[in-house]
Amino acid sequence: MDDAAAYSVHALKHPELAGQTLPIVGPEALSGNQLAEQFSVVLNRKLQFYSLPVEVFKEALSPMLGKETAEGLADSYN
């Protein structure tokens, strides 16, 4: 997981990678609900997963990642 996190941070800090789809994965494929369960255990509090419409997801990411990056990420879910 540390490697996947470091890879993700590196990619976000290098604008020359914009527009590319990068395979960033952890050791296992988890559903949103499974991921929420694991975070709940680690954080010792109940979390729930909510699936967002792609457009809402993109709008939420835009302030943090910029419009172009948010659109590219959201497009990967279509």
XYZ file of all heavy atoms in Angstrom:
592
model
N 0.810 -1.183 0.000
C 0.000 0.000 0.000
C 0.861 1.258 0.000
O 0.500 2.238 -0.622
C -0.942 0.000 1.202
C -2.019 -1.086 1.164
S -3.052 -1.033 -0.293
C -4.138 0.290 0.123
N 1.967 1.211 0.722
C 2.839 2.382 0.754
C 3.363 2.712 -0.641
O 3.459 3.880 -1.011
C 4.005 2.158 1.709
C 3.572 2.133 3.167
O 2.489 2.663 3.492
O 4.321 1.572 3.988
N 3.702 1.680 -1.407
C 4.190 1.899 -2.765
C 3.108 2.507 -3.648
O 3.382 3.421 -4.430
C 4.678 0.589 -3.384
C 5.957 0.072 -2.747
O 6.655 0.866 -2.081
O 6.251 -1.117 -2.902
N 1.878 2.009 -3.530
C 0.774 2.547 -4.331
C 0.514 4.005 -3.959
O 0.276 4.851 -4.832
C -0.485 1.707 -4.143
N 0.586 4.325 -2.669
C 0.380 5.704 -2.217
C 1.487 6.615 -2.739
O 1.215 7.713 -3.242
C 0.313 5.746 -0.697
N 2.724 6.169 -2.637
C 3.854 6.977 -3.115
C 3.760 7.204 -4.627
O 4.024 8.302 -5.115
C 5.173 6.298 -2.764
N 3.367 6.181 -5.346
C 3.195 6.280 -6.802
C 2.111 7.293 -7.136
O 2.268 8.123 -8.031
C 2.850 4.885 -7.327
C 2.752 4.750 -8.827
C 3.883 4.849 -9.626
C 1.533 4.474 -9.431
C 3.794 4.695 -10.999
C 1.434 4.308 -10.804
C 2.567 4.426 -11.587
O 2.471 4.270 -12.935
N 1.010 7.254 -6.392
C -0.103 8.180 -6.616
C 0.332 9.623 -6.357
O 0.040 10.520 -7.153
C -1.283 7.835 -5.712
O -1.735 6.537 -5.975
N 1.013 9.849 -5.251
C 1.473 11.198 -4.910
C 2.441 11.704 -5.978
O 2.346 12.846 -6.427
C 2.128 11.219 -3.511
C 2.839 12.539 -3.257
C 1.074 10.955 -2.437
N 3.351 10.855 -6.406
C 4.297 11.239 -7.452
C 3.547 11.657 -8.722
O 3.852 12.698 -9.313
C 5.248 10.078 -7.760
C 6.198 10.373 -8.876
N 7.377 11.062 -8.674
C 6.136 10.093 -10.204
C 8.008 11.184 -9.838
N 7.273 10.608 -10.765
N 2.566 10.865 -9.121
C 1.812 11.158 -10.339
C 1.063 12.483 -10.217
O 1.016 13.266 -11.180
C 0.842 10.016 -10.637
N 0.488 12.755 -9.061
C -0.263 13.994 -8.871
C 0.634 15.228 -8.876
O 0.198 16.322 -9.229
C -1.055 13.938 -7.565
C -2.232 12.971 -7.553
C -2.787 12.848 -6.142
C -3.310 13.413 -8.529
N 1.895 15.057 -8.528
C 2.825 16.187 -8.470
C 3.559 16.431 -9.784
O 4.380 17.340 -9.867
C 3.836 15.962 -7.347
C 3.227 16.079 -5.968
C 4.285 15.917 -4.895
C 3.689 16.128 -3.521
N 4.720 16.031 -2.472
N 3.305 15.614 -10.794
C 4.002 15.755 -12.072
C 3.000 16.015 -13.194
O 2.436 15.084 -13.772
C 4.850 14.507 -12.346
C 6.042 14.438 -11.462
N 5.996 13.946 -10.177
C 7.313 14.856 -11.663
C 7.185 14.042 -9.626
N 7.998 14.596 -10.499
N 2.797 17.298 -13.524
C 1.809 17.656 -14.543
C 2.094 17.063 -15.924
O 1.185 16.920 -16.733
C 1.842 19.182 -14.572
C 3.049 19.592 -13.820
C 3.456 18.450 -12.952
N 3.334 16.679 -16.178
C 3.647 16.070 -17.475
C 2.952 14.717 -17.649
O 2.871 14.180 -18.765
C 5.163 15.919 -17.681
C 5.841 14.921 -16.773
C 6.275 15.478 -15.411
O 5.860 16.589 -15.030
O 7.042 14.778 -14.744
N 2.419 14.158 -16.575
C 1.687 12.898 -16.657
C 0.196 13.102 -16.923
O -0.542 12.135 -17.083
C 1.875 12.096 -15.358
C 3.314 11.702 -15.028
C 3.383 11.041 -13.656
C 3.875 10.784 -16.093
N -0.237 14.356 -16.971
C -1.653 14.657 -17.203
C -2.139 14.012 -18.493
O -1.414 13.961 -19.485
C -1.869 16.165 -17.251
N -3.344 13.510 -18.459
C -3.947 12.888 -19.633
C -3.662 11.413 -19.766
O -4.220 10.747 -20.625
N -2.796 10.893 -18.927
C -2.460 9.470 -18.984
C -3.303 8.691 -17.987
O -3.716 9.219 -16.958
C -0.987 9.251 -18.656
C -0.039 9.872 -19.651
C 1.397 9.563 -19.298
O 1.722 8.451 -18.913
N 2.265 10.555 -19.433
N -3.561 7.453 -18.297
C -4.192 6.556 -17.341
C -3.098 5.712 -16.728
O -2.381 5.005 -17.426
C -5.227 5.639 -18.044
O -6.216 6.466 -18.648
C -5.872 4.690 -17.050
N -2.949 5.819 -15.415
C -1.883 5.113 -14.715
C -2.489 4.004 -13.864
O -3.419 4.256 -13.101
C -1.092 6.075 -13.832
C -0.491 7.277 -14.556
C 0.099 8.255 -13.562
C 0.563 6.817 -15.544
N -1.974 2.793 -13.954
C -2.517 1.680 -13.167
C -2.005 1.723 -11.723
O -0.900 1.285 -11.428
C -1.996 0.445 -13.902
C -0.700 0.910 -14.506
C -0.912 2.370 -14.852
N -2.800 2.302 -10.847
C -2.420 2.411 -9.440
C -3.344 1.483 -8.656
O -4.540 1.715 -8.586
C -2.542 3.852 -8.927
C -1.672 4.782 -9.780
C -2.178 3.936 -7.451
C -1.874 6.242 -9.501
N -2.778 0.439 -8.116
C -3.599 -0.557 -7.419
C -2.956 -0.961 -6.110
O -1.769 -0.768 -5.891
C -3.815 -1.812 -8.291
C -4.563 -1.487 -9.562
C -2.487 -2.464 -8.636
N -3.760 -1.533 -5.264
C -3.262 -2.083 -4.013
C -3.148 -3.591 -4.143
O -3.264 -4.145 -5.241
N -2.956 -4.269 -3.027
C -2.742 -5.713 -3.070
C -3.991 -6.525 -3.406
O -3.893 -7.686 -3.759
C -2.251 -6.041 -1.662
C -2.787 -4.946 -0.816
C -2.845 -3.726 -1.692
N -5.190 -5.912 -3.307
C -6.410 -6.648 -3.621
C -7.465 -5.693 -4.157
O -7.455 -4.512 -3.856
C -6.933 -7.375 -2.376
C -7.197 -6.458 -1.201
C -7.534 -7.209 0.073
O -8.434 -8.046 0.052
O -6.882 -6.930 1.083
N -8.365 -6.223 -4.958
C -9.468 -5.423 -5.498
C -10.610 -5.440 -4.488
O -11.096 -6.502 -4.112
C -9.923 -6.001 -6.834
N -11.016 -4.262 -4.033
C -12.074 -4.162 -3.039
C -13.228 -3.330 -3.587
O -13.017 -2.367 -4.314
C -11.557 -3.487 -1.767
C -10.408 -4.164 -1.037
C -9.913 -3.275 0.100
C -10.848 -5.512 -0.493
N -14.433 -3.700 -3.190
C -15.590 -2.875 -3.518
C -15.586 -1.667 -2.585
O -14.854 -1.627 -1.584
C -16.882 -3.679 -3.316
O -17.101 -3.907 -1.939
N -16.409 -0.685 -2.890
C -16.512 0.480 -2.019
C -16.935 0.097 -0.612
O -16.403 0.631 0.375
N -17.889 -0.817 -0.491
C -18.340 -1.255 0.829
C -17.239 -1.987 1.588
O -17.080 -1.797 2.797
C -19.577 -2.147 0.710
C -20.806 -1.349 0.345
O -20.961 -0.204 0.735
N -21.700 -1.952 -0.429
N -16.471 -2.815 0.900
C -15.369 -3.526 1.555
C -14.294 -2.549 2.030
O -13.732 -2.712 3.107
C -14.758 -4.554 0.605
C -15.668 -5.723 0.312
C -15.135 -6.589 -0.817
O -14.601 -6.086 -1.805
N -15.291 -7.900 -0.673
N -14.014 -1.562 1.221
C -13.032 -0.548 1.594
C -13.502 0.228 2.823
O -12.723 0.463 3.758
C -12.789 0.394 0.423
C -11.640 1.367 0.526
C -10.326 0.659 0.778
C -11.556 2.201 -0.734
N -14.773 0.605 2.852
C -15.328 1.312 4.013
C -15.233 0.443 5.268
O -14.920 0.954 6.353
C -16.774 1.712 3.751
N -15.473 -0.847 5.126
C -15.355 -1.758 6.276
C -13.929 -1.773 6.816
O -13.714 -1.733 8.034
C -15.770 -3.175 5.880
C -17.261 -3.358 5.680
C -17.616 -4.738 5.130
O -16.775 -5.658 5.200
O -18.732 -4.877 4.615
N -12.946 -1.834 5.919
C -11.557 -1.872 6.374
C -11.146 -0.558 7.035
O -10.466 -0.551 8.054
C -10.626 -2.236 5.217
C -10.783 -3.679 4.808
C -9.631 -4.173 3.948
O -8.632 -3.495 3.758
N -9.777 -5.373 3.434
N -11.566 0.559 6.450
C -11.275 1.850 7.072
C -11.957 1.960 8.432
O -11.399 2.514 9.374
C -11.718 3.011 6.175
C -10.691 3.437 5.171
C -10.915 3.240 3.819
C -9.504 4.042 5.568
C -9.977 3.638 2.873
C -8.556 4.439 4.638
C -8.797 4.242 3.285
N -13.160 1.434 8.545
C -13.888 1.460 9.821
C -13.101 0.757 10.918
O -13.022 1.246 12.050
C -15.265 0.804 9.671
O -16.106 1.566 8.839
N -12.530 -0.384 10.588
C -11.748 -1.142 11.567
C -10.514 -0.344 11.988
O -10.228 -0.184 13.178
C -11.346 -2.528 11.002
C -10.340 -3.216 11.899
C -12.584 -3.392 10.807
N -9.784 0.171 11.013
C -8.539 0.878 11.300
C -8.798 2.175 12.067
O -8.066 2.510 12.999
C -7.773 1.180 9.987
C -6.596 2.094 10.237
C -7.311 -0.108 9.331
N -9.858 2.891 11.703
C -10.149 4.172 12.348
C -10.999 4.041 13.604
O -11.242 5.026 14.295
C -10.849 5.101 11.349
C -10.032 5.477 10.120
C -10.882 6.249 9.126
C -8.803 6.288 10.518
N -11.475 2.819 13.861
C -12.306 2.539 15.027
C -13.572 3.401 15.052
O -13.963 3.937 16.086
C -11.521 2.706 16.328
C -12.228 2.048 17.494
O -12.929 1.061 17.328
N -12.044 2.603 18.677
N -14.155 3.577 13.878
C -15.437 4.273 13.757
C -16.140 3.791 12.503
O -15.493 3.376 11.540
C -15.268 5.774 13.746
C -14.416 6.322 12.612
C -14.253 7.811 12.739
N -15.130 8.478 11.807
C -14.809 9.539 11.101
N -13.626 10.087 11.253
N -15.637 10.076 10.260
N -17.445 3.802 12.512
C -18.236 3.264 11.406
C -18.243 4.240 10.239
O -18.599 5.409 10.382
C -19.667 2.989 11.881
C -20.568 2.429 10.813
C -20.165 1.035 10.429
C -21.171 0.476 9.422
N -20.640 -0.591 8.642
N -17.801 3.755 9.079
C -17.861 4.528 7.841
C -18.779 3.820 6.861
O -18.885 2.593 6.878
C -16.467 4.654 7.215
C -15.411 5.358 8.048
C -14.075 5.317 7.339
C -15.815 6.787 8.323
N -19.420 4.593 6.005
C -20.272 4.019 4.971
C -19.791 4.501 3.605
O -19.316 5.628 3.468
C -21.726 4.433 5.167
C -22.373 3.785 6.362
C -23.834 4.155 6.437
O -24.172 5.293 6.690
N -24.681 3.177 6.197
N -19.939 3.645 2.623
C -19.594 3.983 1.246
C -20.836 4.473 0.527
O -21.903 3.871 0.625
C -19.036 2.743 0.524
C -18.886 2.948 -0.954
C -17.837 3.693 -1.456
C -19.802 2.411 -1.839
C -17.696 3.893 -2.816
C -19.671 2.600 -3.206
C -18.613 3.340 -3.688
N -20.706 5.588 -0.173
C -21.774 6.106 -1.011
C -21.233 6.279 -2.423
O -20.233 6.962 -2.623
C -22.280 7.466 -0.507
C -22.931 7.398 0.848
C -22.236 7.741 1.996
C -24.253 6.991 0.976
C -22.829 7.683 3.242
C -24.857 6.925 2.210
C -24.138 7.272 3.341
O -24.730 7.197 4.563
N -21.887 5.680 -3.368
C -21.493 5.820 -4.764
C -22.049 7.141 -5.300
O -23.230 7.425 -5.151
C -22.037 4.642 -5.576
O -21.638 4.757 -6.916
N -21.170 7.938 -5.879
C -21.586 9.228 -6.435
C -21.766 9.127 -7.946
O -21.014 8.413 -8.613
C -20.513 10.291 -6.168
C -20.198 10.631 -4.726
C -19.016 11.590 -4.667
C -21.408 11.246 -4.058
N -22.709 9.873 -8.489
C -22.757 9.984 -9.952
C -21.433 10.583 -10.438
O -20.820 11.409 -9.735
C -23.922 10.946 -10.203
C -24.760 10.877 -8.959
C -23.789 10.605 -7.843
N -20.984 10.173 -11.600
C -19.676 10.604 -12.113
C -19.564 12.121 -12.151
O -18.521 12.680 -11.790
C -19.409 9.989 -13.505
C -18.136 10.547 -14.105
C -19.322 8.483 -13.408
N -20.617 12.815 -12.537
C -20.582 14.277 -12.630
C -20.345 14.907 -11.245
O -19.568 15.857 -11.101
C -21.871 14.818 -13.244
C -21.819 16.282 -13.599
C -20.769 16.629 -14.653
O -20.485 15.818 -15.540
O -20.227 17.755 -14.566
N -20.981 14.389 -10.220
C -20.801 14.894 -8.857
C -19.375 14.609 -8.374
O -18.737 15.451 -7.751
C -21.853 14.267 -7.906
C -21.589 14.659 -6.459
C -23.251 14.677 -8.332
N -18.877 13.411 -8.696
C -17.503 13.024 -8.358
C -16.516 14.012 -8.982
O -15.617 14.522 -8.311
C -17.268 11.594 -8.862
C -15.892 11.051 -8.645
C -15.406 10.818 -7.368
C -15.090 10.722 -9.730
C -14.135 10.286 -7.170
C -13.833 10.183 -9.546
C -13.354 9.972 -8.265
N -16.707 14.310 -10.252
C -15.826 15.236 -10.969
C -15.866 16.624 -10.337
O -14.825 17.244 -10.111
C -16.233 15.318 -12.433
C -15.402 16.289 -13.253
C -15.756 16.268 -14.716
C -17.111 16.867 -14.936
N -17.464 16.981 -16.354
N -17.046 17.115 -10.018
C -17.178 18.438 -9.412
C -16.507 18.496 -8.040
O -15.925 19.514 -7.674
C -18.651 18.826 -9.298
C -19.281 19.135 -10.642
C -20.779 19.403 -10.554
O -21.277 19.695 -9.445
O -21.441 19.307 -11.594
N -16.574 17.409 -7.289
C -15.947 17.379 -5.965
C -14.420 17.371 -6.071
O -13.732 17.924 -5.211
C -16.431 16.152 -5.191
N -13.885 16.741 -7.121
C -12.431 16.659 -7.297
C -11.818 17.926 -7.872
O -10.653 18.226 -7.621
C -12.079 15.486 -8.213
C -12.315 14.095 -7.667
C -11.989 13.063 -8.737
C -11.483 13.851 -6.422
N -12.594 18.676 -8.646
C -12.065 19.844 -9.358
C -11.330 20.841 -8.467
O -10.239 21.292 -8.830
C -13.173 20.546 -10.136
O -13.558 19.761 -11.239
N -11.868 21.227 -7.302
C -11.141 22.194 -6.479
C -9.792 21.672 -5.971
O -8.868 22.448 -5.742
C -12.084 22.460 -5.297
C -13.430 22.025 -5.759
C -13.180 20.924 -6.748
N -9.684 20.368 -5.798
C -8.442 19.787 -5.267
C -7.431 19.472 -6.351
O -6.229 19.636 -6.165
C -8.758 18.504 -4.492
C -9.580 18.723 -3.250
S -9.989 17.189 -2.419
C -11.234 16.514 -3.516
N -7.920 18.967 -7.492
C -7.016 18.470 -8.534
C -6.960 19.348 -9.769
O -6.130 19.123 -10.644
C -7.446 17.058 -8.959
C -7.490 16.003 -7.868
C -7.974 14.677 -8.435
C -6.123 15.832 -7.234
N -7.868 20.300 -9.875
C -7.977 21.101 -11.073
C -8.982 20.479 -12.029
O -9.213 19.266 -12.009
N -9.590 21.310 -12.853
C -10.661 20.868 -13.740
C -10.209 19.772 -14.702
O -10.876 18.761 -14.870
C -11.216 22.060 -14.515
C -12.370 21.708 -15.406
C -12.892 22.920 -16.150
C -14.011 22.494 -17.082
N -14.477 23.569 -17.937
N -9.063 19.969 -15.343
C -8.602 19.013 -16.363
C -8.317 17.636 -15.764
O -8.729 16.608 -16.310
C -7.347 19.554 -17.051
C -6.896 18.696 -18.212
C -5.707 19.315 -18.928
O -5.702 20.537 -19.155
O -4.785 18.547 -19.267
N -7.639 17.601 -14.639
C -7.328 16.320 -13.992
C -8.599 15.645 -13.499
O -8.772 14.433 -13.669
C -6.345 16.527 -12.829
O -5.152 17.120 -13.344
C -5.999 15.219 -12.148
N -9.505 16.427 -12.918
C -10.776 15.869 -12.433
C -11.589 15.280 -13.590
O -12.171 14.205 -13.464
C -11.581 16.933 -11.703
N -11.618 15.969 -14.715
C -12.343 15.446 -15.886
C -11.715 14.153 -16.378
O -12.419 13.204 -16.713
C -12.362 16.496 -17.005
C -13.307 17.627 -16.741
C -13.260 18.705 -17.815
O -12.451 18.601 -18.768
O -14.051 19.666 -17.694
N -10.399 14.102 -16.424
C -9.719 12.888 -16.872
C -9.988 11.718 -15.954
O -10.246 10.599 -16.415
N -9.956 11.965 -14.663
C -10.227 10.904 -13.697
C -11.677 10.448 -13.802
O -11.966 9.262 -13.829
C -9.908 11.382 -12.284
C -10.009 10.370 -11.177
C -9.137 9.148 -11.454
C -9.617 10.988 -9.850
N -12.599 11.392 -13.888
C -14.016 11.042 -14.000
C -14.289 10.268 -15.291
O -15.075 9.319 -15.283
C -14.878 12.302 -13.940
N -13.618 10.640 -16.367
C -13.811 9.935 -17.644
C -13.403 8.482 -17.550
O -13.917 7.638 -18.275
C -13.027 10.624 -18.769
C -13.668 11.912 -19.222
O -14.847 12.147 -18.864
O -12.989 12.695 -19.922
N -12.475 8.160 -16.663
C -12.045 6.766 -16.523
C -13.134 5.888 -15.908
O -13.049 4.677 -15.943
C -10.753 6.666 -15.705
O -10.985 6.971 -14.346
N -14.167 6.521 -15.341
C -15.278 5.783 -14.744
C -16.446 5.623 -15.702
O -17.429 4.987 -15.384
C -15.749 6.445 -13.451
C -14.773 6.246 -12.321
C -13.771 7.181 -12.074
C -14.842 5.123 -11.535
C -12.872 6.979 -11.048
C -13.934 4.909 -10.502
C -12.962 5.845 -10.271
O -12.060 5.647 -9.273
N -16.400 6.260 -16.846
C -17.496 6.150 -17.838
C -17.332 4.921 -18.689
O -16.359 4.374 -18.906
C -17.563 7.385 -18.713
C -18.137 8.557 -17.956
O -18.969 8.410 -17.083
N -17.677 9.737 -18.295
